[in-house]
Amino acid sequence: MLYKILGKNEYEDFLSDLISKNEVIGPKKKDGAYSDFVAIKDPKEIDTDYQKTTLSPAKKILFPSTEDLVAFKISDTIEAEGIVEYEQKVLLGINAWDINGMNFLDRFFTTDFIDENYLAKRKALTVIGTDSVPTENNFAHHMNSEYAIEGFDLYFSDLGDRFFVRAATEKGNRLIEDFPRFLDTSEDDFKEFNRYMEDYRAKFKLNINMKNFIDNFESIYDKEQLWQKLAEKCYSCGSCNLTCPTCFCFNVKDDINLDLKTGQKLREWDSCMIPEYGLVAGDHNFRPDKENRLKQRYKCKLITFKQKYGKNSCVGCGRCIEACLAKINIAEDINTIMKEVSI
Amino acid sequence: MVLEAEKKGKKKTIYTPDMATITEISDLTPTEKQFTIQIDDQETREAFRFQPGQFVELTVFGLGEAPFSIPSSPNNRESFELCVRDIGNVSNALHKMAPGSKVGIRGPYGNGYFPHEKMKGNNVVIIAGGIGMAPVRSLLKYILEDRQSYKDFSLIYGCVDPANILYKDEMQQLKQRDDIEIKMTVDNPDADWKEAVGVCTNLIGDLKYSPEDTFIVVCGPPIMYKFVILELDDRSYKPENIFLSLERRMECGVGKCNHCHIGNKLVCVDGPVFSLWEIRNLKEAI
């Protein structure tokens, strides 16, 4: 890691310089409490205090809701070619938990088989992170996601009169070299950074208990009444999946164009909460009930990848809590599950 | 910081099927057809090697893609067969196709296949129910082509009606051999039926093999697994030597779309064949 300092008075120039040379995607104020990550043309458009975005900006760029995978042409014979689309972009202002969510997707899409559609976009993305204020539903600190140690090229922490800047990659280093007004760090800067992180972590108020959660989850797995109660109000709408920064399930579909000669194989986001998810030919459904589906979602978020990668796929952003029409709350449900087995 | 201009690249990705031709189609039952498929490109065809129990993703262009296990012998390198029941979008379209039609093939997929190497020197029992015959037929053929490497070999095959029996002629021929024991049963016998009546679970009791040197392979509908396993347990067959092929909605085949996940396992990547021991430690597997 390379550590640098950038004065607050230099920051706007840095952004102007960045915007003049690149396509920069950053947070812009939308309606009410929500901001959205869009193309930024002027540093003044950037909403530096943004708190909420409907989607994770990384997932929006790297794993779009629909994406063409293969183009085919039907004549006397059929030709099929893979499509890999990407653009060089700079993602500015992504916070730590969304970087951690992206890190999960990075690992997922390059495990077993390499997904070039994802990887090409990821390689073309420059990531500049900065902290944002957690909402009251955020529990990233319980998911080790309130702080990012990798996945970004540069990370800016606001120390008041200056930024404490971490560069994790060569790409980040180049950005610093291209703007020669970054300064070296002193011992005091590190002390100040520690104080800053302590204050920042104190902003996460939501409290959950996840001690031995994997074993406890296993022990309540077959308690049907508990799961019926937790899923009672679920509409099976899938809002939780759509807003999740780490949900990656998709359908693969073929689509033929109006000329009936060309078409594409594409993917579109799917949701494990809707009944069709577990359906196979012959109308057998492996997860016919909403309580099965909620249980499997919690398992996927809190157990499966802890076992596979050593880290939960849930980053604790709280988006699913805010998106849920039935007010199903994963943080409360974690506590309910823990209470079931408390001594 | 000079960044490259927008790029649009075309290449072969994990989602790009290889072009293949349906060379032969034959009726197996009123609802199942057998398709012989040859991959067009010679180099790709030669590189296409599969293990018994693996599957392919087949594309009917413009309509979609579906997973099918390969019922033919891995020793046939020129082409492979698929046994397809007319039941979904892709299989409906396949049933309407004629020889010479083009399809897309991705695969073979599945790191979990029937462990034929481990089975060598042991007795092997295959228990198939209905269309569950398709995934195990590859193993059946593979063992018969190298019969001396295994001890005793039995097939128990159950169907609803005699009309549903797959590979009927082949079964009759196999019955003439003395190095495989074939037991068939149906739920609804017709006037000509001379074999057992009822579920295939009933025939497990006739097996005289010791659990010490016996491998058992099971493939059929989910309900069949529950009862077959109870019966095998009663006879102390070892869960680590019992292998089951699982069905799920495998849309991508490469461990990405997640539809086939069971806990921390993916049926497409870690399966589709799992040992009973593995399945017992996976909630909701069967």
Side-chain angles (χ1 to χ4, degrees):
Chain A
M1 195 77 70
L2 177 74
Y3 299 95
K4 289 282 175 183
I5 292 293
L6 186 70
K8 272 271 173 82
N9 50 345
E10 310 282 10
Y11 186 55
E12 203 172 302
D13 282 353
F14 171 75
L15 294 181
S16 298
D17 193 46
L18 195 71
I19 291 167
S20 70
K21 292 175 184 162
N22 301 284
E23 182 178 353
V24 174
I25 309 293
K28 198 172 166 177
K29 194 109 203 120
K30 229 173 84 185
D31 319 325
Y34 281 87
S35 299
D36 193 12
F37 274 74
V38 293
I40 299 288
K41 299 288 171 226
D42 185 324
K44 293 193 172 55
E45 293 175 82
I46 299 169
D47 175 15
T48 45
D49 301 320
Y50 84 92
Q51 204 184 11
K52 293 179 181 182
T53 61
T54 308
L55 301 177
S56 148
K59 181 168 150 179
K60 204 175 142 184
I61 296 169
L62 301 171
F63 180 52
S65 57
T66 60
E67 181 174 12
D68 288 350
L69 300 173
V70 177
F72 57 84
K73 226 187 282 173
I74 305 172
S75 52
D76 296 339
T77 179
I78 301 175
E79 286 167 56
E81 248 181 344
I83 302 174
V84 179
E85 283 183 317
Y86 61 96
E87 285 170 50
Q88 301 288 343
K89 283 180 184 169
V90 175
L91 174 55
L92 177 79
I94 182 174
N95 57 38
W97 51 87
D98 283 343
I99 288 176
N100 281 304
M102 177 182 69
N103 291 344
F104 168 79
L105 292 179
D106 285 358
R107 179 151 183 194
F108 177 76
F109 279 110
T110 54
T111 298
D112 294 325
F113 289 84
I114 306 260
D115 188 306
E116 304 234 22
N117 296 78
Y118 179 92
L119 190 61
K121 290 181 191 59
R122 178 66 184 91
K123 279 184 175 166
L125 191 67
T126 302
V127 179
I128 303 179
T130 184
D131 291 329
S132 74
V133 186
T135 66
E136 68 281 9
N137 291 315
N138 191 305
F139 52 102
H141 57 311
H142 286 293
M143 298 290 162
N144 294 322
S145 290
E146 84 291 359
Y147 176 71
I149 52 169
E150 58 169 353
F152 54 84
D153 299 292
L154 290 181
Y155 202 99
F156 284 76
S157 301
D158 188 346
L159 303 187
D161 58 342
R162 63 197 190 281
F163 284 106
F164 184 84
V165 183
R166 292 180 289 147
T169 63
E170 221 174 284
K171 241 194 232 177
N173 191 25
R174 220 177 312 142
L175 288 170
I176 287 175
E177 280 174 3
D178 284 353
F179 189 80
R181 286 184 255 171
F182 283 87
L183 307 170
D184 289 337
T185 47
S186 68
E187 213 172 293
D188 276 350
D189 292 324
F190 277 89
K191 280 184 188 156
E192 190 61 36
F193 175 62
N194 275 326
R195 246 193 307 272
Y196 163 81
M197 277 313 297
E198 206 173 312
D199 290 348
Y200 182 64
R201 286 194 167 102
K203 291 179 184 168
F204 295 82
K205 304 283 188 215
L206 216 148
N207 230 331
I208 57 169
N209 171 15
M210 285 202 72
K211 284 199 183 104
N212 303 329
F213 188 75
I214 290 187
D215 305 314
N216 293 338
F217 190 86
E218 195 90 357
S219 77
I220 55 94
Y221 198 88
D222 296 320
K223 284 197 173 180
E224 273 177 42
Q225 277 178 330
L226 171 70
W227 287 108
Q228 278 163 3
K229 206 175 85 198
L230 294 178
E232 196 185 359
K233 291 181 289 177
C234 178
Y235 297 123
S236 302
C237 70
S239 300
C240 48
N241 301 115
L242 299 181
T243 54
C244 177
T246 62
C247 270
F248 52 80
C249 287
F250 60 85
N251 286 317
V252 184
K253 280 187 166 178
D254 266 43
D255 215 354
I256 195 138
N257 299 332
L258 285 173
D259 60 11
L260 297 179
K261 285 181 183 131
T262 56
Q264 46 281 324
K265 193 181 286 298
L266 55 95
R267 67 171 158 210
E268 58 177 27
W269 290 355
D270 195 12
S271 157
C272 63
M273 300 302 280
I274 60 175
E276 289 78 12
Y277 185 87
L279 196 66
V280 293
D283 278 342
H284 183 78
N285 197 331
F286 286 95
R287 287 192 195 91
D289 309 315
K290 56 186 181 183
E291 51 267 29
N292 284 134
R293 295 194 292 271
L294 183 73
K295 177 157 67 174
Q296 98 80 26
R297 176 171 150 81
Y298 284 171
K299 191 170 182 178
C300 186
K301 290 294 147 194
L302 304 167
I303 310 281
T304 302
F305 292 96
K306 186 95 183 161
Q307 289 169 332
K308 279 181 132 167
Y309 301 168
K311 201 169 188 298
N312 289 330
S313 63
C314 176
V315 293
C317 68
R319 283 188 179 92
C320 58
I321 301 172
E322 278 152 28
C324 185
L325 302 170
K327 299 201 173 0
I328 293 174
N329 185 317
I330 188 171
E332 277 174 16
D333 288 351
I334 289 169
N335 286 338
T336 307
I337 288 166
M338 290 297 288
K339 217 184 276 168
E340 281 288 312
V341 286
S342 67
I343 36 175
Chain B
M1 201 165 45
V2 182
L3 296 174
E4 293 162 61
E6 181 183 337
K7 265 191 194 167
K8 191 168 179 168
K10 292 203 173 197
K11 51 169 139 185
K12 188 163 163 55
T13 63
I14 51 172
Y15 304 108
T16 318
D18 290 310
M19 296 311 306
T21 306
I22 300 175
T23 56
E24 251 182 88
I25 302 175
S26 57
D27 289 333
L28 289 174
T29 73
T31 47
E32 278 98 1
K33 283 187 184 183
Q34 173 170 289
F35 296 82
T36 307
I37 290 171
Q38 188 172 51
I39 292 172
D40 292 346
D41 178 60
Q42 195 189 340
E43 213 173 296
T44 313
R45 183 163 70 234
E46 277 163 15
F48 186 94
R49 303 265 169 98
F50 67 93
Q51 297 284 352
Q54 283 193 301
F55 68 97
V56 292
E57 290 279 350
L58 180 143
T59 298
V60 173
F61 286 96
L63 212 99
E65 208 168 18
F68 296 100
S69 54
I70 313 171
S72 54
S73 165
N75 292 326
N76 181 359
R77 296 272 163 78
E78 273 304 295
S79 59
F80 61 89
E81 293 162 6
L82 297 180
C83 164
V84 179
R85 178 180 286 179
D86 185 9
I87 202 167
N89 290 338
V90 174
S91 55
N92 284 163
L94 263 177
H95 269 243
K96 293 186 186 113
M97 285 184 163
S101 303
K102 296 286 178 193
V103 291
I105 294 290
R106 292 192 294 127
Y109 292 133
N111 295 321
Y113 45 83
F114 298 119
H116 48 88
E117 283 298 327
K118 272 207 257 175
M119 295 176 181
K120 282 185 177 163
N122 292 281
N123 306 310
V124 179
V125 180
I126 294 179
I127 305 172
I131 199 164
M133 183 52 150
V136 296
R137 181 169 169 265
S138 175
L139 179 71
L140 175 77
K141 297 215 119 191
Y142 196 66
I143 290 178
L144 288 172
E145 284 160 6
D146 179 25
R147 183 63 190 85
Q148 72 282 358
S149 295
Y150 305 83
K151 280 192 195 164
D152 289 345
F153 188 22
S154 289
L155 169 70
I156 295 175
Y157 182 25
C159 281
V160 177
D161 299 299
N164 297 131
I165 294 170
L166 295 164
Y167 309 105
K168 214 171 281 173
D169 297 343
E170 196 172 296
M171 293 300 140
Q172 290 308 325
Q173 281 168 19
L174 288 180
K175 281 193 169 182
Q176 313 304 317
R177 291 175 68 143
D178 55 9
D179 59 355
I180 176 167
E181 184 188 26
I182 301 206
K183 286 172 184 280
M184 301 213 289
T185 180
V186 294
D187 295 345
N188 312 314
D190 56 17
D192 300 328
W193 187 253
K194 297 200 173 52
E195 303 198 42
V197 174
V199 292
C200 51
T201 323
N202 299 340
L203 301 176
I204 294 172
D206 298 344
L207 296 172
K208 297 283 178 279
Y209 306 134
S210 123
E212 287 311 308
D213 59 352
T214 302
F215 279 79
I216 299 179
V217 162
V218 193
C219 191
I223 184 79
M224 177 183 132
Y225 286 147
K226 294 204 170 100
F227 292 102
V228 166
I229 289 165
L230 285 174
E231 197 69 26
L232 293 174
D233 273 347
D234 273 357
R235 281 155 229 291
S236 314
Y237 288 108
K238 293 177 173 175
E240 62 271 32
N241 289 349
I242 299 172
F243 292 86
L244 300 90
S245 180
L246 299 187
E247 185 197 8
R248 285 296 185 278
R249 187 170 145 189
M250 297 180 281
E251 293 217 359
C252 75
V254 289
K256 297 290 178 262
C257 84
N258 215 35
H259 287 87
C260 68
H261 83 280
I262 308 171
N264 58 5
K265 299 279 183 198
L266 289 160
V267 175
C268 70
V269 171
D270 301 307
V273 175
F274 293 93
S275 75
L276 179 58
W277 190 91
E278 286 177 289
I279 284 172
R280 288 239 159 99
N281 289 285
L282 270 183
K283 300 265 191 195
E284 289 183 0
I286 49 174

